[in-house]
Amino acid sequence: MRIFKSKIYWGVFILLLNCSSQTDVPPEIRSTAETISADYIAEQIRMLSHDNLEGRGIGTRGGRAAAEYIRGQMKALDMEPSFPGGGYFQPVSLVNMRTIPDQSEFSFSPDGNTIQSQFADDYIGIANCQLNEIAFSGKPVFVGYGIHAPEYGWNDYKDLDCTGKILIGFMNEPPSDDDDFFDGERLTYYGRWSYKYEEGARRGAKAVILIHTDETAGYGWRVISNSNISGRPLIDNEKHDNPVLDATYFITGDLGSKIFSSAGLEFDALFEKAAQPDFEPIELDTKLSLSLTSEKTAIATQNVVAKITGSDPQLKNETVIFTAHYDHLGIGKPVNGDSIYNGANDNASGVAMMLAVAKAMSSLEQKPARSIYFAAVGAEEALLLGSEYLAQHPPI
């Protein structure tokens, strides 16, 4: 078992500091805050990161055991269930789409000559439509960073009709050292690849291809290939409220450069052009042929949600949510002979602090004016899917 000896109690420390340093804090609130203890938090971390929970992998025995443990802690604090029928669990239906490499294709055809690419080495493709077999082709449209951010006066799409098109663009966002423009050097949500896929889906595109470079992503290609080689969990489309693409792709910078060259364009020139607000989408004069054959497997996981009903007759209809994810990476490649990824810091510590706050609030003789929900979400390591599902299907 590997438990990181990091400073995990800073959040509770700040809570205590704020409560104890304010002269107008009621005595009962101050005394309740002082019941939050490092010993309680440490015990929760030890339980959640124990080897018996096998790293709390998504859809695994250990993950289910972690959810049961958290539900038990919530019930012991006399917190109310959040769902009809007295339930603390919110089932989250996922599917894992694993691409079968030797039955899938990513090729392009400059001047009638077909150039094949290799799965994992050159590209990663996932069938977001959750069909076992898909195939399509067409000329891709280069959309720069694939961002529409009105607050920054930025629109890579201009008047482009994306319906049924294959979009290709860069990861990250326009470079900036101005805090008022894409938050300067800090990455905003517009720079995340999940946003780019979502934006393409909203616009009716068939597929979005993101070009990876170590510089624009901030990590190497192997991070992408290794984390997707066994598939990618997705919310079951029957339970999903948002539009989805047929397919999503990552490709290497080298493959992206070859695709641009086949259309008579230069990678570096397009990179510079994409950083300008007057950028216009460019249809590439080269044909992509794409197909994915996938193995589809159902994954069952759950969020664990409890509540404290507010004490004020009116304000109890307003809600404050505390949340942390309980899942981690499960069992994987051994490190110094240990194959269990215990996840003490990520995120047993967050769940432990959330439970400590829940314990303190539950002990109040007069509960908070507003209703308080405590949500231990699953499938965070699979692109925040538990949080996404909770946001789409809130118990409120």
Side-chain angles (χ1 to χ4, degrees):
M1 174 191 269
R2 298 187 297 279
I3 297 183
F4 303 102
K5 305 294 185 180
S6 58
K7 297 178 181 177
I8 59 175
Y9 306 126
W10 64 269
V12 173
F13 172 77
I14 291 172
L15 175 64
L16 289 171
L17 182 65
N18 287 342
C19 286
S20 62
S21 64
Q22 300 297 320
T23 57
D24 59 348
V25 173
E28 66 271 21
I29 300 296
R30 187 190 306 276
S31 62
T32 299
E34 291 171 352
T35 66
I36 297 176
S37 72
D39 288 342
Y40 176 84
I41 295 170
E43 177 60 22
Q44 300 304 317
I45 294 173
R46 278 192 288 270
M47 294 298 294
L48 289 167
S49 60
H50 197 280
D51 276 358
N52 287 346
L53 268 62
E54 301 172 345
R56 309 187 305 280
I58 301 167
T60 65
R61 186 205 69 83
R64 292 189 293 273
E68 289 285 359
Y69 174 79
I70 295 165
R71 176 169 64 174
Q73 294 299 301
M74 290 174 168
K75 291 178 70 173
L77 295 173
D78 291 326
M79 298 174 68
E80 304 167 53
S82 297
F83 301 101
Y88 292 84
F89 282 174
Q90 180 183 48
V92 180
S93 299
L94 307 178
V95 296
N96 186 67
M97 298 301 296
R98 185 183 72 84
T99 301
I100 301 174
D102 59 2
Q103 298 179 41
S104 303
E105 178 187 10
F106 188 114
S107 66
F108 57 103
S109 306
D111 302 324
N113 298 314
T114 300
I115 300 175
Q116 298 285 349
S117 304
Q118 298 299 313
F119 185 84
D121 292 334
D122 301 312
Y123 79 97
I124 289 289
I126 299 292
N128 281 49
C129 62
Q130 300 176 15
L131 297 177
N132 292 105
E133 294 190 10
I134 58 173
F136 51 95
S137 62
K139 292 184 177 181
V141 180
F142 176 60
V143 291
Y145 286 100
I147 294 173
H148 180 209
E151 66 271 36
Y152 299 124
W154 195 275
N155 185 3
D156 284 324
Y157 294 94
K158 301 301 189 289
D159 297 324
L160 176 68
D161 181 359
C162 298
T163 305
K165 288 185 167 56
I166 302 169
L167 307 181
I168 184 169
F170 291 121
M171 297 178 69
N172 211 301
E173 57 197 11
S176 170
D177 55 10
D178 179 357
D179 287 346
D180 293 328
F181 184 69
F182 287 101
D183 282 359
E185 296 181 357
R186 295 182 295 275
L187 184 70
T188 73
Y189 187 59
Y190 292 118
R192 296 181 65 88
W193 50 267
S194 52
Y195 159 77
K196 300 169 190 291
Y197 290 154
E198 292 162 6
E199 185 65 22
R202 282 190 288 267
R203 292 174 178 271
K206 182 173 285 292
V208 171
I209 301 168
L210 295 181
I211 302 169
H212 172 279
T213 69
D214 293 1
E215 294 75 18
T216 54
Y219 45 82
W221 172 254
R222 286 301 167 194
V223 173
I224 288 178
S225 61
N226 289 345
S227 60
N228 288 275
I229 195 76
S230 59
R232 184 187 302 160
L234 305 166
I235 294 177
D236 189 329
N237 279 348
E238 293 184 0
K239 308 291 185 180
H240 205 297
D241 293 342
N242 296 327
V244 296
L245 298 160
D246 281 5
T248 57
Y249 288 88
F250 290 110
I251 64 173
T252 64
D254 183 57
L255 177 55
S257 181
K258 290 176 180 177
I259 292 172
F260 290 150
S261 295
S262 72
L265 301 169
E266 294 184 1
F267 186 98
D268 291 343
L270 289 178
F271 191 75
E272 291 181 10
K273 189 182 292 289
Q276 305 303 316
D278 61 353
F279 167 82
E280 295 279 349
I282 303 169
E283 183 177 83
L284 305 184
D285 190 19
T286 191
K287 181 183 177 182
L288 293 182
S289 296
L290 310 172
S291 70
L292 291 170
T293 298
S294 307
E295 178 184 72
K296 179 179 178 179
T297 307
I299 305 173
T301 186
Q302 57 278 311
N303 296 325
V304 194
V305 189
K307 67 177 178 179
I308 299 173
T309 299
S311 58
D312 185 278
Q314 298 300 321
L315 292 179
K316 70 179 183 180
N317 296 316
E318 299 180 7
T319 299
V320 177
I321 300 177
F322 287 77
T323 181
H325 76 91
Y326 68 86
D327 64 295
H328 195 55
L329 302 178
I331 298 174
K333 183 179 179 180
V335 178
N336 297 325
D338 186 353
S339 61
I340 296 177
Y341 288 70
N342 301 88
N345 193 39
D346 181 16
N347 192 21
S349 61
V351 175
M353 287 189 278
M354 184 185 73
L355 288 174
V357 174
K359 181 173 180 287
M361 287 189 174
S362 296
S363 70
L364 286 169
E365 185 173 339
Q366 180 173 336
K367 299 299 188 283
R370 292 169 176 80
S371 295
I372 312 294
Y373 280 74
F374 293 88
V377 296
E380 192 273 350
E381 300 293 354
L383 310 181
L384 313 174
L385 296 183
S387 293
E388 180 180 345
Y389 192 84
L390 180 65
Q392 291 179 1
H393 306 89
I396 302 162

